[in-house]
Structure formats: C-alpha cells, structure tokens
C-alpha cells in the first residue's frame, strides 16, 4: 500500500505549520517542515518584490526540491506543511511573464520524478484573519505584505483546489476564519472529523 503523504496548504498566515504539526502527532507521521527563515533573499523580497522575486523563488524551489527528494527514503506516513506546487502559485504572482516561463520550465524538470503528496488539505481564511495571524507571529520580513498580495494568493490557491477536485484528487478545503485549532481542542477535533475520510489510518493515542 502506498504511504500516506499529506500536504497542508493555503495562503500566508492561515495555519499550515500548526495543523501539520498536530496531524503528525495524531497519526504518528513524519513531519516535513518548510524552510523559510533560511532564505537570504526574503527580507529584500518583501521590500522590493519585482527586484528580488526570481532569486527568492529559485531559492525556495531548489530547497523544496531537495526536501521532497529526501522524503523518498521515508517509509512511514508524511505530513508536510507545504506542497512544492506552491512555488508556481507564488511565482505566478511575483515574476514577469518571461521570468515565469523560465521558472516554470525549471520547475517541470525538477519535479517530473518527485513523489508528490496524495492528500492535500487546503486551509483558507478571510483577509482580516490572515492579517491578524501574520501580525501575531511577528516575523519582521512579513510586516510589508500588502492586502492585494494576500488576496491574489487566496484566489490562486482556490483555483488550484478547484482544479484538483475536478480531477478527482483527494483534496479538502477548510475555512479556518472562525477556528482556532491550536488553542481549542474542539476546533481541532472538528477538523479531524473532516479529514478522517481522506486520511483513514490509525490515530496515535
């Protein structure tokens, strides 16, 4: 039986890492964490997106490629707080058409043989909720994020979810605007009930 490979996705600040961590504990799966702070271009990127976007996206793509490549040797279930496809979503919003075309070709070459997640949990939330959560985690390089950027990410994530759902993939979308699954067990249990039919398996007591 093919191992479960779950990706938790959604716009910035929606709670991907928190949910991935809790699911990894619930199912006793390996937790794959996205590299963010190590990107040397990120601070410059948010100050001048047009100037630093290609370097930023290429750094993320190469690191995520290496992380996914290393997961091949993992025989247990996996919960990742990102899907490598997010590179194309972010790049679509930051690169010029010529840069995106070049980036997309590199992405296709790198990912053609990668093992991809077979379950994707999409989280979403209203704009003000995302902004509040971003402010609460207080990452200095995220202070300059503009509303339009977040709204564009929300739009593109929803489009990706809808395309996968139409293709019959194992996906679910959960609105977390009024949920706090970190502080409230009832909210987390509500999410668990939603994703159980997709994940199945034995929960770790």
């Amino acid at each position: 039986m093919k191992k479960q490979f779950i990706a938790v996705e959604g716009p910035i600040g929606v709670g991907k890492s928190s949910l991935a961590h809790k699911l990894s504990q619930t199912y006793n799966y390996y937790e794959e964490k996205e590299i963010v702070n190590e990107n040397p271009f990120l601070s410059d990127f948010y100050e001048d997106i047009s100037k630093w976007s290609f370097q930023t996206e290429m750094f993320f793509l190469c690191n995520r490629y290496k992380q996914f490549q290393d997961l091949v040797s993992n025989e247990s279930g996996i919960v990742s707080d990102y899907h490598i496809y997010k590179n194309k979503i972010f790049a679509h919003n930051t690169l010029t058409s010529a840069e995106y075309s070049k980036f997309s070709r590199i992405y296709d070459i790198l990912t053609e043989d990668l093992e991809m997640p077979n379950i994707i949990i999409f989280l979403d939330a209203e704009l003000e909720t995302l902004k509040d959560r971003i402010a609460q985690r207080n990452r200095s390089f995220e202070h300059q994020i503009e509303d339009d950027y977040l709204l564009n990410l929300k739009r593109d994530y929803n489009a990706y979810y809808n395309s996968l759902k139409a293709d019959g993939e194992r996906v679910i979308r959960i609105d977390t605007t009024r949920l706090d699954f970190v502080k409230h067990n009832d909210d987390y249990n509500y999410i668990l009930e939603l994703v159980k039919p997709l994940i199945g398996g034995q929960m770790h007591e």
Side-chain angles (χ1 to χ4, degrees), residues 4 101 110 135 137 160 163-164 193:
Q4 300 283 48
S101 178
L110 288 178
R137 68 187 187 187
Y160 183 42
S163 69
L164 291 176
E193 290 301 315

Side-chain angles (χ1 to χ4, degrees), residues 10-27:
I12 300 168
V14 79
K16 300 181 291 294
S17 298
S18 297
L19 182 58
H21 177 67
K22 290 182 76 69
L23 288 174
S24 71
Q25 293 184 316
T26 297
Y27 285 94

Side-chain angles (χ1 to χ4, degrees), residues 35 38-41 54-63:
I35 293 173
E38 291 86 346
N39 191 326
F41 303 106
F54 192 80
Q55 296 93 322
T56 302
E57 301 302 345
M58 282 304 304
F59 179 93
F60 276 132
L61 176 59
C62 291
N63 275 274

